[in-house]
DNA sequence: GATGAATGAGCTTTCATTCAT
DNA sequence: GATGAATGAAAGCTCATTCAT
């Protein structure tokens, strides 16, 4: 799986042959099929590992009773960006290669992906009710804006860049929560 | 090109054969190679058409002397989302299939894509200088946050949804400019 | 098709690879798939050619108004055996490799094979009614006995043997019609 | 062997993998190779079991001093058909999969199969000499006609059909001995 | 401008067999 | 007696590309 993740990320699922994978490991194609029923099944395993990891981490954040909703949103954004440092390759495979899953597998993955989204959305809805977020916020668009900003980072965030994952997350959340506009000073 | 865009978007570049394309048109493979040097060249044509269209529209917005910077950012976000209504398929191909370009073509496209980003970033930098945006804004992260939010919509925005492209863009820009937080009333 | 018939007959369908077929012709595998959708489709074409040829010949014999029923039975047996001289390889493929057809194709072929049997059976039934055949004959078993005797010959009849196909057919029909028993002389 | 007979008969020798066989038994492939040297050897064992059983039963019938030759022919036909009730699957494997034996094994099996035929042929020859059968009978063709009629039944005879194996054999032998023709009454 | 025949390299997958444990 | 991991050869099939016509 590790070897295939590196190859799928770099060259794409369709462009990576079983031969490429087993060559990277110094084994033969037969060995691959001893461990995986098909190339698609391997892809499914990668997808499952990724999304279930995310769901688990999201759940821990949401269930934390000590944090405010804003803090939880920050934590989720940070978690997504931090995850790219650790599992950026899986993330890129997840978004790019999902269409190569078969119908049944795709259904399962989309279900979990949607669950992640709904959990975030219901957090934002709570924030609106509790007064932490503006009442005129459209919960689903707010959710997708946050997710877009964070997920897009898998396209550009490199852990070796100028800013750390935490600083990127802080900046991004600052924009999302407080906005880019210069605040009007109360005294003016 | 039209036929291939529909097929590439639906099934992916690698999964679409030349045969599929010519079948959709009722011609034969020989004919394809009379008009295109290779499958990759066709993909390049699609990429070029998409990114050059975006750059042109972006330029028109930025060069408009009648608008504030904030308005220009709104316009660019709206333009990106609106584009999905018109050219969603090209957008999805652009982001998903870029890696199938050859080295030289890829370089050219990445150059133009980066140009688009730099133009937005320099708009935001101007906004910071002019006092329209907060001084503590990290221009590159702000740029990528805006682009992430807008570009991500190609994954979920459907023109037949509840909200129009303009309403989605307005909501999204409201979040990006004013933030999700409830503003403190001046009297409190 | 000709090349594949020779190979399927000699080595069996599963044991003959596409490579074997195209090697025999001095072309490449791609060429094979330009003309046939799959290996199974080629097998179907062989089956269809064989059974439809038989049905056509059977029809001509049955529709001949100048012949008695006994003569028609002889003609059908002779036709089957004669066919082995001309198309013995197809015959052997027909009986041996039918199970490699896919469900839909198998259904079509079995239908036609059964039609051939029913036509013979209805001929025998007419013979019983007309008094040419014994009344205590069980039509379906008689049919299968005749078909068994004739069809089995594809397992052993070789056109270069001692007897010609016509002589074999005559002998076989003599047994089937008159029996192997020594007839009791009228005077005894 | 039992498990493999069921699988070979249903799906064919080439189409049945060792994995299929050991799966049916809940053991592993290594175990198979502890008991059989190769897949082909297993096939040979099945062939040997079948043909030696037939030869033994044939010998008992032929050696019976209490029976006429005609009765012996009936008995052999009955034995063949009866065998299908008991060992139909082996029979079908025997006729269909023989070509998968290796050269040496094939030679041995063909020898025994031919022995069975010669024994029947020599019985018929005796019947001709003794006056039980017509003198103009061609012994080898008569033999193959009888064998064809009987063996073919493995293609269609189902023990749950309308007639029992004994009734089918009686009908078939009636045809083979007395013929299908209506006998001319002595008084006419 | 367009066709149709052909190629060749590559693909995923299967499977009988081996063998150290 | 039995297992499980591995192999290697081959299978059916796909497909971008070429090119004479």
């Amino acid at each position: 799986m590790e070897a295939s993740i590196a190859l799928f990320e770099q060259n794409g699922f369709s462009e990576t042959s079983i031969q490429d994978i087993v060559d990277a490991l110094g084994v033969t194609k037969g060995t691959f099929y001893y461990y995986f029923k098909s190339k698609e099944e391997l892809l499914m395993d990668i997808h499952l590992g990724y999304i279930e990891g995310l769901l688990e981490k999201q759940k821990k954040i949401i269930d934390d009773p000590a944090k405010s909703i804003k803090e939880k949103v920050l934590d989720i954004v940070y978690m997504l960006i931090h995850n790219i440092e650790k599992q950026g390759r899986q993330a890129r495979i997840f978004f790019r290669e999902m269409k190569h899953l078969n119908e049944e597998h795709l259904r399962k993955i989309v279900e979990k992906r949607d669950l992640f989204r709904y959990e975030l959305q219901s957090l934002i809805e709570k924030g609106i009710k509790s007064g932490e977020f503006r009442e005129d916020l459209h919960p689903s668009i707010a959710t997708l804006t946050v997710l877009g900003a964070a997920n897009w980072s898998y396209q550009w965030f490199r852990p070796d860049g100028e800013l750390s994952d935490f600083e990127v997350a802080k900046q991004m959340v600052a924009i999302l929560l407080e906005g880019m506009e210069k605040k009007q000073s109360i005294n003016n």
Side-chain angles (χ1 to χ4, degrees), chain A residues 18 32-33 35-43 102 105:
Chain A
I18 305 291
F32 177 90
Y33 283 94
Y35 291 99
F36 295 97
K37 243 181 24 219
S38 68
K39 194 185 174 188
E40 192 267 351
E41 205 201 60
L42 164 61
L43 184 62
N102 68 30
H105 283 159

Side-chain angles (χ1 to χ4, degrees), chain A residues 69-131:
Chain A
I69 288 175
K70 280 187 214 169
E71 281 169 324
K72 286 178 181 178
V73 170
L74 168 61
D75 280 4
I76 287 174
V77 170
Y78 169 60
M79 183 267 283
L80 284 170
I81 292 175
H82 180 63
N83 214 32
I84 289 169
E85 194 177 342
K86 301 283 175 210
Q87 307 193 268
R89 296 178 310 187
Q90 272 107 311
R92 274 181 285 280
I93 293 170
F94 186 83
F95 290 120
R96 244 179 19 199
E97 315 290 0
M98 197 181 287
K99 69 171 179 297
H100 293 111
L101 295 174
N102 68 30
E103 231 171 308
E104 197 194 322
H105 283 159
L106 187 59
R107 227 189 36 246
K108 275 190 193 158
I109 292 297
V110 166
E111 217 168 78
K112 286 174 195 284
R113 189 197 60 183
D114 287 350
L115 182 58
F116 187 91
R117 177 158 55 87
Y118 292 139
E119 292 290 348
L120 178 57
Q121 183 165 334
S122 102
L123 197 65
I124 287 174
E125 281 164 357
K126 264 187 221 150
I128 294 171
K129 274 196 200 121
S130 75

